[in-house]
Amino acid sequence: LIINYGTNDFAGESPLLDANNNYNTATFAGAIRTMIEMIVTAYPHLHIVFNTPFWRCWPNTAEYVDDAFTHQNVYNLTLVDYIEKINEIANGEYGLPVINNLFEIGWNKFNRYDYFDDNDGTHFNILGAKEVARKTFEFLNRQGYALGTIADE
């Protein structure tokens, strides 16, 4: 099971955590913990992999404005803060593998037009979607899932 988590929580301005309740599902961290425990309780032999959000930007027309490292939500947090929380919980607390797309895929303000629509800093174009599939496939193979090879086009 591959779980994509974080982009909408950050953009929708979900609180990151509740210092008094680690399982508060109204928070990003509490929802992750609750979801993981519900899944592994119901399906204890299921392999779970977390897929972090990708680099993204908030363009103003065609200009670069803000990205995952600089854009802040109402809690003065960046997307990086949410990604770090995914790693901390999924990998650090539950030992689940995490594909850290922000740091591993290599997208940034200089190459964003290669992978995103000209007017959208969140959703991939065809090349971006293929790169995501390739990186995910490679990660799963490194984890020992023996998926085989992927054909280049």
Side-chain angles (χ1 to χ4, degrees), residues 91-120:
N91 189 262
E93 294 180 21
Y94 294 94
L96 300 174
V98 175
I99 303 172
N100 193 331
N101 294 297
L102 178 65
F103 298 108
E104 293 179 16
I105 205 159
W107 294 348
N108 55 56
K109 65 182 177 180
F110 303 107
N111 63 16
R112 75 178 180 100
Y113 289 113
D114 293 337
Y115 305 106
F116 295 93
D117 180 277
D118 292 349
N119 298 314
D120 183 349

Side-chain angles (χ1 to χ4, degrees), residues 43-57:
Y43 305 98
H45 301 291
L46 184 67
H47 294 271
I48 301 171
V49 174
F50 268 79
N51 213 10
T52 71
F54 296 82
W55 179 91
R56 62 177 290 192
C57 66

Side-chain angles (χ1 to χ4, degrees), residues 4-148:
N4 297 309
Y5 216 87
T7 294
N8 292 333
D9 301 280
F10 171 77
E13 301 178 340
S14 297
L16 188 61
L17 56 86
D18 177 345
N20 298 314
N21 181 357
N22 284 341
Y23 294 90
N24 180 349
T25 58
T27 69
F28 182 71
I32 292 174
R33 286 186 185 96
T34 301
M35 176 189 56
I36 290 171
E37 293 191 14
M38 288 175 72
I39 292 170
V40 297
T41 298
Y43 305 98
H45 301 291
L46 184 67
H47 294 271
I48 301 171
V49 174
F50 268 79
N51 213 10
T52 71
F54 296 82
W55 179 91
R56 62 177 290 192
C57 66
W58 287 259
N60 180 1
T61 64
E63 295 177 24
Y64 167 79
V65 175
D66 239 347
D67 69 11
F69 297 99
T70 59
H71 186 79
Q72 294 183 337
N73 65 11
V74 296
Y75 302 105
N76 295 320
L77 298 171
T78 66
L79 187 58
V80 174
D81 296 310
Y82 286 71
I83 290 169
E84 288 174 348
K85 190 56 69 177
I86 291 169
N87 283 312
E88 176 187 317
I89 294 171
N91 189 262
E93 294 180 21
Y94 294 94
L96 300 174
V98 175
I99 303 172
N100 193 331
N101 294 297
L102 178 65
F103 298 108
E104 293 179 16
I105 205 159
W107 294 348
N108 55 56
K109 65 182 177 180
F110 303 107
N111 63 16
R112 75 178 180 100
Y113 289 113
D114 293 337
Y115 305 106
F116 295 93
D117 180 277
D118 292 349
N119 298 314
D120 183 349
T122 301
H123 300 99
F124 321 127
N125 61 23
I126 296 297
L127 181 60
K130 286 180 179 180
E131 184 67 9
V132 169
R134 187 179 69 75
K135 289 288 191 179
T136 302
F137 182 86
E138 289 172 355
F139 180 89
L140 293 174
N141 267 336
R142 284 194 313 270
Q143 292 295 308
Y145 292 108
L147 301 174

